[in-house]
Amino acid sequence: MSDKKISIDEGRDAIPDDDYEYEKQLAEQERAIEEQRRQRQEELLAEQKRKERQAQKEREQQIAREKLELLQLKNGVIGEEEASIKEEHHEKTKLTGAAWVSNFWYHNKFIIIAAVFLIAVVIFLVYSEVTRERPDLTIMMIADNDLAQRTEELEEFFEKYTDDVDGNGYVHVTVIAIPISPRIDSITLNANTSKFYSQVQAGDAMIVITDSNTSEEYMALMDPTLEERFPGNKYVDEQGFSFNSKIMAEELKYEYMPNDVYMSIRFPVKTMEYSKKEARELYDKSYVVYERIVNDITARCEQTDDPGLETEPLKIKTETDSSSEVS
């Protein structure tokens, strides 16, 4: 206490007398007001408790009187006409208009709120599905090279050959990059494999970008008859259309693109999203784009006598290669 007093006195010396007295008066007035407020609250609380005790006492007295009358009625001491307890008959009121609405809301508001929420969710999901932008063409890129980082260039390239299928006034192509090869770590490879088969089941992507490291398991899903459809075209074989040309490297802005990249196309098969007939229709639409690319790029390569690409793909060592090196 003494330390506090000293600090206050020290502060007092730094404040002019008039200001100090004024501040002191304000502080005293605030304390007096606060004390009055506290006393008033205590009085109100005491009065409330007194009323509650009085009401409780009156209820207990009323209950006692009613019990006594019931005993008297039971024992025949008094008749029903003398008793203060009377059977009450309340006439049922028929609610109309705003009163009915208010009563209905009071008793059913939680059910109504839940129903409105579910309806709103259903409307939102339906609207999202109807208005969701669907690409005019979907491409899968499973080749394991830097094309996985050039999805924008691939989309721009394919958009030049794609029609406005949905009629929204512009062409939109989506490229899904899912690199798959033995040189990818096992966790990523398993994830990408699952993603690839999910896309196959979805059925949208018919055109697939592959390379020499694409396993036979995936190539078995591709159409091997392309060589027959483009007889004499040196850029087409069982794997599809080869991107081994300077023109394709320039189109995709990939100067050192490996010379083993192919554009393949999947067989039309029934999936979770498409029937066999619908898958065939999607294949036919995708093949139109495929054929346009093959014909255009081939013609341009022949006109310029394109020398092809010099960048060799990264070779993946197999167990046979490893054993040969050891021996």
Side-chain angles (χ1 to χ4, degrees), residues 129-162:
E129 179 63 22
V130 171
T131 59
R132 180 167 64 94
E133 181 181 332
R134 295 180 180 274
D136 297 297
L137 184 69
T138 301
I139 309 293
M140 269 197 291
M141 215 297 296
I142 65 173
D144 182 22
N145 54 54
D146 283 346
L147 273 180
Q149 312 302 322
R150 289 175 165 80
T151 56
E152 186 175 339
E153 287 81 355
L154 280 166
E155 289 172 355
E156 290 177 357
F157 171 73
F158 278 95
E159 283 172 358
K160 294 191 295 184
Y161 300 91
T162 304

Side-chain angles (χ1 to χ4, degrees), residues 63-94:
I63 292 170
R65 286 195 298 269
E66 291 176 354
K67 285 182 177 179
L68 178 60
E69 283 193 2
L70 286 171
L71 287 173
Q72 290 175 335
L73 281 168
K74 184 177 181 181
N75 295 321
V77 177
I78 60 175
E80 291 185 6
E81 66 279 357
E82 300 176 78
S84 61
I85 303 174
K86 303 293 182 182
E87 184 178 358
E88 296 181 358
H89 297 278
H90 297 283
E91 186 177 347
K92 190 174 181 180
T93 304
K94 187 176 181 180

Side-chain angles (χ1 to χ4, degrees), residues 12-28:
R12 160 77 178 84
D13 294 339
I15 302 174
D17 292 341
D18 292 343
D19 291 344
Y20 176 77
E21 290 300 328
Y22 177 70
E23 295 290 340
K24 183 177 180 182
Q25 289 176 7
L26 285 179
E28 290 174 353

Side-chain angles (χ1 to χ4, degrees), residues 231-280:
N233 189 321
K234 69 175 183 179
Y235 295 99
V236 179
D237 58 26
E238 290 183 354
Q239 193 164 342
F241 177 67
S242 174
F243 280 5
N244 183 12
S245 65
K246 295 287 186 180
I247 288 178
M248 282 305 306
E250 292 170 2
E251 287 281 351
L252 301 179
K253 302 179 179 63
Y254 189 5
E255 182 180 358
Y256 298 104
M257 182 168 66
N259 57 19
D260 66 335
V261 180
Y262 278 83
M263 178 176 65
S264 306
I265 187 167
R266 292 193 301 108
F267 272 126
V269 294
K270 180 180 178 181
T271 66
M272 292 187 299
E273 296 290 333
Y274 296 100
S275 66
K276 181 67 179 292
K277 181 181 178 182
E278 291 171 333
R280 183 69 202 187

Side-chain angles (χ1 to χ4, degrees), residues 26-294:
L26 285 179
E28 290 174 353
Q29 289 175 4
E30 290 177 359
R31 282 195 294 271
I33 293 171
E34 182 62 29
E35 179 63 22
Q36 290 176 2
R37 187 183 296 112
R38 186 186 63 79
Q39 290 177 0
R40 179 59 179 164
Q41 288 177 344
E42 290 180 353
E43 291 172 0
L44 291 173
L45 183 60
E47 178 65 16
Q48 181 181 352
K49 289 183 178 178
R50 186 189 68 75
K51 289 181 178 179
E52 289 176 353
R53 287 195 297 270
Q54 181 64 26
Q56 179 65 23
K57 184 177 179 180
E58 291 176 358
R59 284 195 297 271
E60 291 173 353
Q61 290 174 349
Q62 177 66 22
I63 292 170
R65 286 195 298 269
E66 291 176 354
K67 285 182 177 179
L68 178 60
E69 283 193 2
L70 286 171
L71 287 173
Q72 290 175 335
L73 281 168
K74 184 177 181 181
N75 295 321
V77 177
I78 60 175
E80 291 185 6
E81 66 279 357
E82 300 176 78
S84 61
I85 303 174
K86 303 293 182 182
E87 184 178 358
E88 296 181 358
H89 297 278
H90 297 283
E91 186 177 347
K92 190 174 181 180
T93 304
K94 187 176 181 180
L95 300 176
T96 58
W100 182 89
V101 172
S102 177
N103 182 68
F104 183 80
W105 169 256
Y106 177 79
H107 290 92
N108 301 280
K109 57 187 174 183
F110 294 111
I111 297 175
I112 295 171
I113 292 171
V116 169
F117 174 76
L118 289 175
I119 292 171
V121 170
V122 171
I123 291 174
F124 173 77
L125 292 175
V126 172
Y127 176 80
S128 299
E129 179 63 22
V130 171
T131 59
R132 180 167 64 94
E133 181 181 332
R134 295 180 180 274
D136 297 297
L137 184 69
T138 301
I139 309 293
M140 269 197 291
M141 215 297 296
I142 65 173
D144 182 22
N145 54 54
D146 283 346
L147 273 180
Q149 312 302 322
R150 289 175 165 80
T151 56
E152 186 175 339
E153 287 81 355
L154 280 166
E155 289 172 355
E156 290 177 357
F157 171 73
F158 278 95
E159 283 172 358
K160 294 191 295 184
Y161 300 91
T162 304
D163 296 321
D164 179 12
V165 178
D166 55 13
N168 61 358
Y170 63 93
V171 175
H172 174 53
V173 172
T174 293
V175 173
I176 304 172
I178 318 173
I180 298 176
S181 82
R183 67 191 185 93
I184 297 176
D185 66 273
S186 59
I187 295 176
T188 304
L189 181 60
N190 289 336
N192 285 0
T193 300
S194 298
K195 187 175 180 181
F196 171 78
Y197 280 112
S198 296
Q199 290 297 326
V200 169
Q201 281 301 314
D204 291 324
M206 298 302 296
I207 296 177
V208 185
I209 308 302
T210 61
D211 63 12
S212 60
N213 292 319
T214 303
S215 69
E216 293 182 3
E217 175 186 354
Y218 306 119
M219 291 309 302
L221 303 175
M222 309 302 165
D223 186 347
T225 66
L226 296 171
E227 193 171 9
E228 300 171 10
R229 298 192 184 191
F230 299 94
N233 189 321
K234 69 175 183 179
Y235 295 99
V236 179
D237 58 26
E238 290 183 354
Q239 193 164 342
F241 177 67
S242 174
F243 280 5
N244 183 12
S245 65
K246 295 287 186 180
I247 288 178
M248 282 305 306
E250 292 170 2
E251 287 281 351
L252 301 179
K253 302 179 179 63
Y254 189 5
E255 182 180 358
Y256 298 104
M257 182 168 66
N259 57 19
D260 66 335
V261 180
Y262 278 83
M263 178 176 65
S264 306
I265 187 167
R266 292 193 301 108
F267 272 126
V269 294
K270 180 180 178 181
T271 66
M272 292 187 299
E273 296 290 333
Y274 296 100
S275 66
K276 181 67 179 292
K277 181 181 178 182
E278 291 171 333
R280 183 69 202 187
E281 290 174 353
L282 183 60
Y283 173 92
D284 291 339
K285 291 177 181 178
S286 300
Y287 183 80
V288 169
V289 177
Y290 190 98
E291 187 176 38
R292 288 172 182 170
I293 293 173
V294 172

